[in-house]
């Protein structure tokens, strides 16, 4: 079990991430990302390449080697940053039960 | 998904040589093959564009695509057992330590159709003979060695299964549990003996064990378990037993595929699918850590149901390389059912002729050892931390989905087997689905996100763009031919990530630069791990990651010496050949998100380096690229006198910051404190390094995997490509470099 739990105190880091999902992050945001991307999970969100460099579908990769990747219906991305932001919001909701969009009304 | 995959029997061929192509259908009905030279494999729209060249060579028309399965799982096969006459009384025995118990039936020792010892779905030992099945009450455990036996005595009609767990914790000898039934077995004449597997009704191997087996033996009399234990513990005693029909001492001929019977019958056999030899046995208690000094303690083989050496597919067709074909990277392209998009590329190198030089003075060193190390790797799928290291979600390309569906294809040396022990072997005698152009990866950084072979095509594409004639030679060629081959060239260019080196390769390359050769190391984390080939098993490579290095697993106590050669595994910097000595820099950090420019240092002003900077302006170079947006990144190396960097080496430019995903390598992080990260620690950097060698040679090292992604930026028209070309032009000029006087 990961020790760090995401709370409302992390909302500023969510704003930071949604503004720039790739590259340099503050230590606080890095900790949030480590929690979301680390080993403590039953499945992992993955980007299944539909067309290289232009189109991805969202999938859930189970922990078990060789298990089927479950596709999330209707979720298609044409931009990797957009995909990162969407996955971040999904994980925020998975981990806190809260809708990040509602907490951050001005985020995209 | 991939409807068709294939492989060739070699990764390097010379003109006039014939190469076999094996093709397997995973949905395709038909296919057509053509032959192409690969120029540039990255399909990123921000890159220079995909480019290959059709070679006019008739590979035949449409062919039927045949289903061909992967059959992983290792064992020992002892044929010729029928040479023994009728067997009536018998004992089958072995010492076994399972490493994975997951409800699958496993075989330990089988004389198919006659008798077998195995493990059932409830982890209990089973003995089968004459239609009778005996089952132990005791469960086997992954924590202990077990002495197991199945015996039959016709006089008493007793069929007995015995198991003793050697707990090693008390002075009491292990107390056996014996299960006996009374039965009348007829005599038999087994034809073969299989260790760690059995055969199904169709004759296919099945019931593969994950675990270690030591000293299996076969007698023509029933032997009580107490007696058996002492006999098995002493081969010299064992081989004098007149009842002995076969006893296999795995510590003999350990570096080969041979398995030796120490009985007078000499029922020798061989391993199948390359299980791991030179593993600590039942009697190893830390007395010695090098199997060469006490092979008798290394009498176990570790078998895995996931081992894969040779897929063994039937040959679909062969082609002979035309005599006049120039050296290069080529592919047999398999187009399934006229669907070009779904084409599969069997990539290999056409090397220059063995018996005569091509006349080219520049060679690209096609790093087959590093491709093999990563062959079919599953880092983004099996290792949760990969996403943290990438700083982005994992992309799964079609070949990754194929790997997910077909783990039987066998692993890379980045994976663990299902029992969580490290994969020590990787083989080229199977499809390598990530050694194709176009494919995306996990570790290639934000941008193109390509790795190893496909990333290296940025260099091939650049050579094409500047009209440079070149030969392609492979790691295997360098390993076999040494300096005899390298001496043909003024300049050798590496790929982006030449990480895995055999001793032959290391010594050949060092000899090359020492004697006037010029090395352009266009990558990062190069010359890092020790690997070995096996003289008895072509195409397979071993890597035991002992002691240090960024590594996905440890080999386990007592397993630091390679089984193939006896070499000490691990980092070259612990084996007398630090990469810094060869190329000026050595691995310092990694991160797979974004890359950085280099900042030009005052040492670049040195007149010795003037040719490198010809036409290059400014103090920041490489602030662009297809691999993370900069020339310095992914895996980066530093110059370090303490690690062997020559004192006169010039560090021309350095990256001055990286994200905090970049951390310190374990070999340098002796005392972990939270300040060893990319935004805080100076030591985390790529050093662009140049030095001359005593023999008039020279070395130029980028210390960065991302470098080639910058070379390919803007259609190869940029300062990184320019600098690389400056170096290539001077390096290709035979005029000796002057060794600076101190
Ligand atoms: Fe690597």
């Amino acid at each position: 079990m990961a020790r760090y739990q995401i709370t409302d105190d992390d909302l500023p880091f969510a704003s930071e991430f949604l503004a720039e999902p790739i590259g340099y992050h503050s230590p606080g945001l890095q900790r949030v990302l480590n929690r979301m991307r680390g080993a403590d999970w039953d499945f992992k969100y993955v980007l299944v390449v539909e067309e290289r460099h232009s189109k991805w579908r969202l999938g859930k990769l189970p922990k078990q080697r060789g298990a089927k990747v479950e596709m999330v219906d209707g979720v298609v991305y044409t931009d990797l940053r957009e995909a990162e932001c969407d996955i971040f919001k999904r994980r925020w909701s998975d981990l806190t039960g809260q809708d990040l969009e509602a907490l951050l009304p001005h985020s995209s | 998904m991939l409807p068709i995959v294939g492989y060739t029997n070699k990764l390097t061929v010379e003109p006039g040589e014939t190469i076999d192509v094996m093709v397997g259908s995973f949905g395709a009905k038909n296919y057509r093959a053509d032959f192409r030279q690969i120029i540039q494999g990255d399909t990123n729209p921000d890159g220079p564009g995909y480019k290959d060249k059709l070679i006019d060579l008739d590979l035949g028309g449409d062919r039927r695509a045949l289903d061909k399965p992967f059959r992983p799982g290792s064992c020992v096969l002892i044929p010729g057992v029928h040479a023994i006459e009728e067997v009536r009384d018998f004992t089958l025995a072995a010492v076994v330590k399972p490493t994975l118990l997951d409800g699958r039936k496993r075989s330990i020792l089988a004389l198919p159709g006659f008798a077998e010892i195995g493990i059932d779905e409830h982890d209990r030992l089973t003995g089968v003979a004459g239609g009778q099945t005996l089952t132990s009450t005791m469960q086997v455990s992954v924590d202990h060695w077990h002495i197991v036996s199945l015996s039959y005595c016709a006089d008493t009609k007793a069929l007995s299964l015995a198991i003793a767990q050697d707990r090693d914790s008390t002075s009491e000898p292990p107390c056996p549990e014996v299960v006996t039934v009374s039965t009348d077995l007829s005599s038999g004449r087994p034809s073969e003996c299989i260790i760690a597997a059995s055969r199904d009704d169709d004759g296919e191997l099945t019931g593969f064990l994950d675990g270690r087996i030591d000293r299996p033996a076969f007698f023509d009399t029933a032997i009580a378990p107490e007696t058996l234990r002492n006999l098995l513990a002493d081969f010299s005693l064992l081989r004098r037993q007149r009842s002995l029909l076969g006893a296999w001492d795995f510590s003999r001929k350990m570096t080969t595929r041979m398995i030796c019977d120490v009985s007078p019958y000499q029922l020798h056999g061989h391993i199948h699918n390359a299980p791991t030899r030179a593993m600590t046995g039942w009697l190893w208690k830390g007395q010695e850590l090098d199997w060469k000094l006490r092979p008798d303690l290394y009498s176990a083989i570790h078998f895995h149901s996931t081992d894969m050496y040779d897929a063994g597919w039937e040959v679909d067709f062969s082609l002979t390389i035309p005599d006049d074909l120039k050296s290069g990277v080529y592919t047999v392209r398999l187009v399934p059912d006229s669907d070009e998009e779904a084409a599969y590329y069997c990539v290999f190198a056409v090397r220059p002729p063995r018996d005569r030089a091509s006349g080219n003075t520049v060679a690209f060193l096609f790093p087959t050892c590093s491709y093999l190390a990563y062959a079919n790797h599953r880092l983004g799928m099996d290792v949760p931390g990969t996403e943290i290291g990438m700083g982005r979600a994992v992309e799964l390309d079609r070949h990754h989905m194929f790997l997910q569906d077909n783990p039987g294809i066998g692993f890379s040396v980045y994976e663990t087997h299902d029992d969580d022990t490290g994969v020590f072997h990787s083989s080229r005698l199977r499809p390598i689905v990530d050694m194709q152009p176009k494919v995306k990866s996990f570790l290639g950084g934000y941008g193109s996100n390509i790795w190893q072979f496909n990333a290296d095509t940025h260099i091939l594409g650049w050579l094409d763009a500047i009209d440079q004639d070149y030969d392609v030679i492979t790691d295997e060629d360098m390993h076999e031919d040494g300096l005899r081959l390298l001496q043909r060239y003024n300049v050798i260019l590496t790929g982006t990530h030449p990480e895995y080196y055999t001793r032959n390769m290391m010594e050949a390359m060092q000899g090359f630069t020492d004697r006037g050769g010029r090395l352009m190391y266009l990558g990062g984390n190069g010359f890092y791990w020790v690997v070995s080939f096996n003289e008895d098993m072509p195409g397979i490579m071993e890597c035991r990651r002992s002691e240090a290095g960024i590594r996905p697993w440890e080999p386990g106590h007592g397993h630091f010496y390679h089984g193939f050669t006896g070499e000490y595994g691990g980092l070259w910097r612990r084996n007398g050949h630090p990469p810094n000595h060869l190329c000026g820099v050595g691995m310092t950090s990694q991160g797979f998100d974004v890359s950085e420019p280099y900042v030009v240092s005052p040492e670049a002003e040195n007149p010795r380096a003037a040719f490198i900077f010809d036409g290059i302006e400014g103090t920041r170079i490489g602030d662009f690229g297809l691999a993370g947006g900069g020339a310095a990144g992914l895996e980066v190396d530093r110059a370090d006198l303490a690690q062997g960097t020559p004192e006169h080496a010039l560090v021309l430019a350095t990256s001055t910051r990286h994200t905090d995903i970049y951390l310190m390598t374990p070999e340098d992080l002796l005392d972990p404190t939270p300040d060893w990260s990319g935004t805080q620690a100076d030591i985390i950097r790529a050093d662009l390094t140049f030095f001359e060698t005593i023999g008039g040679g020279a070395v130029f090292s980028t210390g960065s995997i991302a470098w080639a992604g910058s070379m390919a930026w803007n259609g190869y028209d940029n300062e990184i490509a320019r600098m690389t070309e400056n170096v290539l032009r001077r390096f290709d000029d035979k005029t000796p470099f002057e060794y600076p006087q101190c």
Side-chain angles (χ1 to χ4, degrees):
Chain A
M1 220 6 214
R3 176 169 289 161
Y4 191 73
Q5 299 302 320
I6 293 172
T7 67
D8 284 357
D9 291 346
D10 294 305
L11 281 170
F13 303 128
S15 304
E16 180 192 339
F17 182 83
L18 296 175
E20 181 48 77
I22 290 168
Y24 286 83
H25 303 310
S26 67
L29 171 54
Q30 190 61 53
R31 189 164 58 181
V32 169
L33 292 172
N34 294 347
R35 174 66 186 85
M36 288 181 165
R37 294 168 172 172
D40 191 9
W41 51 279
D42 297 323
F43 68 88
K44 231 171 167 67
Y45 289 109
V46 288
L47 300 170
V48 178
V49 175
E50 187 92 351
E51 280 160 35
R52 294 186 185 114
H53 303 286
S54 61
K55 195 170 169 190
W56 298 263
R57 292 173 64 205
L58 183 65
K60 292 177 168 183
L61 174 74
K63 217 169 195 165
Q64 173 69 34
R65 175 153 64 197
K68 269 261 173 291
V69 177
E70 185 193 326
M71 302 310 299
V72 181
D73 271 348
V75 183
V76 178
Y77 307 109
T78 55
D79 179 272
L80 278 181
R81 286 167 188 268
E82 173 207 325
E84 286 301 329
C85 293
D86 184 58
I87 289 172
F88 187 93
K89 290 173 195 167
R90 285 171 188 271
R91 283 175 168 159
W92 188 282
S93 162
D94 293 346
L95 290 169
T96 67
Q98 289 183 302
D99 179 5
L100 186 58
E101 298 267 12
L103 296 170
L104 294 172
H106 301 299
S107 72
S108 57
Chain B
M1 290 301 299
L2 309 178
I4 200 160
V5 300
Y7 64 101
T8 52
N9 64 330
K10 301 164 195 165
L11 291 182
T12 175
V13 277
E14 65 177 336
E17 196 174 344
T18 295
I19 186 166
D20 298 333
V21 185
M22 282 65 73
V23 180
S25 165
F26 290 78
K29 291 190 169 57
N30 297 293
Y31 73 94
R32 178 181 284 268
D34 60 21
F35 188 51
R36 288 165 187 269
Q37 183 184 11
I38 292 179
I39 311 281
Q40 205 289 116
D42 183 9
T43 59
N44 186 350
D46 296 332
Y50 179 82
K51 187 174 177 187
D52 66 19
K53 190 173 135 196
L54 182 67
I55 306 293
D56 185 17
L57 187 69
D58 185 11
L59 300 188
D62 274 347
R63 286 191 171 85
R64 242 161 53 81
L66 304 174
D67 294 353
K68 290 179 191 168
F70 297 114
R71 292 212 166 90
S74 63
C75 61
V76 166
L77 299 172
I78 312 286
V81 175
H82 51 77
I84 296 173
E85 289 168 19
E86 295 282 295
V87 179
R88 192 163 173 86
D89 289 19
F90 72 89
T91 298
L92 274 178
V95 188
V96 61
K97 185 175 189 177
T99 49
L100 179 66
L101 298 167
D102 59 358
R104 275 185 280 171
K105 279 178 77 167
R106 317 283 197 150
S107 184
I108 296 168
L109 189 52
L111 301 164
F114 182 74
E116 178 177 342
I117 304 176
I119 299 169
D120 74 4
E121 296 90 334
H122 308 289
D123 307 345
R124 299 182 201 283
L125 191 75
T126 56
V128 179
Q132 302 274 348
T133 301
L134 300 176
T135 306
S136 69
T137 318
M138 185 191 289
Q139 289 179 306
V140 296
S141 154
V142 296
D143 298 323
H144 304 291
W145 286 98
H146 306 75
I147 303 143
V148 300
S149 62
L150 179 69
S151 60
Y152 181 68
C153 173
D155 282 352
T156 61
K157 299 193 181 354
L159 177 67
S160 297
L161 177 72
I163 173 170
Q165 203 168 64
D166 191 350
R167 289 179 160 262
D168 192 37
S169 55
T170 65
S171 56
E172 292 295 313
C175 181
E177 179 200 337
V178 183
V179 190
T180 302
V181 287
S182 181
T183 184
D184 209 347
L185 296 187
S186 49
S187 61
R189 200 170 175 192
S191 63
E192 66 171 338
C193 176
I194 305 177
I195 300 157
S198 185
R199 287 200 194 274
D200 64 16
D201 295 341
D202 299 326
E204 292 292 346
L205 291 167
T206 185
F208 292 101
L209 180 79
D210 283 273
R212 274 188 263 166
I213 295 179
D214 195 352
R215 58 196 77 212
F218 180 29
F219 306 83
D220 70 1
T221 183
I223 301 178
E226 293 78 6
T227 314
L228 194 58
R229 182 184 182 282
N230 293 330
L231 279 180
L232 289 177
D234 185 346
F235 269 117
S236 61
L237 198 61
L238 179 64
R239 62 187 310 185
R240 293 204 303 268
Q241 300 302 304
R242 286 200 308 278
S243 61
L244 190 67
L245 298 177
W248 294 279
D249 179 356
F250 295 159
S251 73
R252 301 199 178 195
K253 299 203 175 186
M254 225 164 344
T255 61
T256 75
R257 53 197 288 283
M258 296 286 297
I259 293 292
C260 293
D261 175 15
V262 297
S263 90
Y265 288 97
Q266 300 191 17
L267 289 168
H268 308 309
H270 60 270
I271 51 175
H272 169 76
N273 263 339
T276 314
R277 305 190 69 170
M279 296 298 276
T280 53
W282 169 41
L283 301 178
W284 183 85
K285 300 281 181 259
Q287 304 94 315
E288 181 50 64
L289 300 174
D290 178 356
W291 64 260
K292 298 190 296 299
L293 301 180
R294 286 293 303 276
D296 56 306
L297 298 173
Y298 284 79
S299 48
I301 292 182
H302 198 151
F303 299 91
H304 290 98
S305 56
T306 42
D307 281 325
M308 166 60 81
Y309 166 41
D310 186 348
W313 288 359
E314 274 188 30
V315 177
D316 276 53
F317 62 96
S318 303
L319 65 139
T320 300
I321 306 301
D323 282 331
D324 59 349
L325 190 72
K326 67 173 187 179
S327 175
V329 176
Y330 290 86
T331 181
V332 168
R333 193 181 70 138
L334 309 169
V335 180
D337 302 316
S338 306
D339 181 0
E340 301 248 337
E341 262 299 288
Y344 186 86
Y345 296 79
C346 301
V347 172
F348 54 91
V350 173
R351 54 160 292 164
R354 288 189 167 79
D355 61 355
R356 62 185 189 281
S358 66
N360 283 333
T361 53
V362 173
F364 176 74
L365 180 56
F366 189 74
T368 42
C369 285
S370 296
Y371 298 161
L372 263 191
Y374 278 96
N376 297 326
H377 74 279
R378 311 169 55 93
L379 284 171
M381 294 138 73
D382 286 7
V383 182
T386 304
E387 188 182 357
I388 296 181
M390 293 171 65
R392 301 172 337 278
V394 164
E395 284 182 76
L396 295 184
D397 203 346
R398 284 177 292 192
H399 70 285
H400 296 130
M401 301 298 270
F402 181 87
L403 291 175
Q404 187 69 0
D405 280 356
N406 294 282
I409 195 170
F411 301 134
S412 78
V413 296
Y414 285 87
E415 273 75 61
T416 52
H417 288 288
D418 289 347
D419 64 4
D420 291 332
T421 59
V423 175
F424 293 3
H425 301 156
S426 179
S427 161
R428 59 171 168 74
L429 295 174
R430 56 181 177 140
I432 302 177
V433 297
D434 46 14
M435 208 182 111
Q436 294 189 82
K438 301 184 180 178
V439 294
K440 302 211 64 179
S441 181
F442 306 123
L443 307 177
Y446 184 57
S448 290
N449 193 13
I450 55 176
W451 194 247
Q452 284 291 7
F453 169 66
N454 202 16
D456 290 348
T457 67
H458 283 153
I459 299 170
L460 298 176
W462 168 77
L463 287 167
D464 178 72
I466 64 168
D467 263 329
Q468 175 66 50
D469 289 328
Y470 63 95
D471 282 353
V472 173
I473 56 175
T474 72
D475 285 352
E476 272 187 74
D477 297 317
M478 174 162 66
H479 177 86
E480 293 295 328
D481 300 354
L483 191 56
R484 299 195 309 282
L485 175 62
L486 302 191
Q487 70 180 358
R488 294 180 183 178
Y489 305 102
N490 294 336
V491 194
I492 289 173
L493 298 95
T494 72
T496 57
H497 191 21
E499 180 179 0
Y500 292 82
Y501 264 66
T502 65
R503 178 167 286 273
N504 277 11
M505 289 160 57
M506 211 68 189
E507 290 177 353
M509 190 60 95
Q510 187 70 57
F512 174 71
T513 59
D514 283 350
R515 291 159 199 238
R518 286 82 191 261
L519 170 64
M520 293 177 70
Y521 164 41
L522 303 178
N525 182 217
F527 317 101
Y528 193 58
W529 290 108
V530 176
V531 290
S532 308
F533 290 122
N534 187 298
E535 289 185 3
D536 199 33
M537 292 189 286
I540 195 167
M541 185 181 90
E542 179 176 25
C543 178
R544 296 201 185 187
R545 304 180 187 273
S546 69
E547 288 198 78
I550 298 182
R551 61 207 195 281
W553 42 260
E554 281 203 308
H557 305 305
H559 299 149
F560 286 7
Y561 290 84
H562 282 193
F564 288 180
T565 55
E567 292 171 288
Y568 187 66
L571 301 182
W572 274 117
R573 86 178 218 177
R574 292 174 174 274
N575 277 281
H577 283 281
N580 302 64
H581 181 68
L582 174 67
C583 64
V585 294
M587 171 67 162
T588 196
S589 185
Q590 65 179 30
F592 306 101
D593 53 345
V594 294
S595 306
E596 295 293 326
Y598 294 80
V599 175
V600 175
S601 83
E603 290 186 33
E605 301 288 320
N606 191 308
R608 287 159 53 203
F611 72 95
I612 299 173
F613 284 87
D614 182 39
I616 289 166
E617 311 277 321
T619 54
R620 282 160 64 87
I621 57 168
D623 198 2
F624 49 79
L626 301 170
L634 305 185
E635 299 190 24
V636 291
D637 304 341
R638 70 173 193 275
D640 187 339
L641 295 180
Q643 288 301 327
T645 300
E647 273 178 50
H648 66 288
L650 298 174
V651 175
L652 308 169
T654 291
S655 58
T656 54
R657 67 161 196 175
H658 288 279
T659 66
D660 285 327
I661 285 173
Y662 288 74
L663 301 171
M664 200 64 232
T665 50
E667 55 271 29
D668 288 311
L669 185 61
L670 300 182
D671 182 3
T673 49
D675 53 333
W676 298 81
S677 82
T679 61
Q680 304 172 79
D682 243 357
I683 196 170
I684 291 174
R685 62 177 194 264
D687 282 334
L688 188 72
T689 302
F690 164 76
F691 63 94
E692 305 86 345
T693 70
I694 192 86
V699 177
F700 173 78
S701 294
T702 66
S704 160
I705 290 180
W707 181 270
S710 297
M711 287 165 64
W713 184 256
N714 190 38
Y716 311 105
D717 183 10
N718 64 72
E719 71 216 8
I720 296 297
R722 162 109 198 205
M723 179 180 288
T724 315
E725 187 171 353
N726 287 346
V727 175
L728 179 63
R729 295 290 174 238
R730 171 62 186 93
F731 276 23
D732 196 20
D733 174 347
K734 269 191 171 335
T735 313
F737 280 89
E738 210 166 298
Y739 193 75
Q741 302 302 313
C742 303

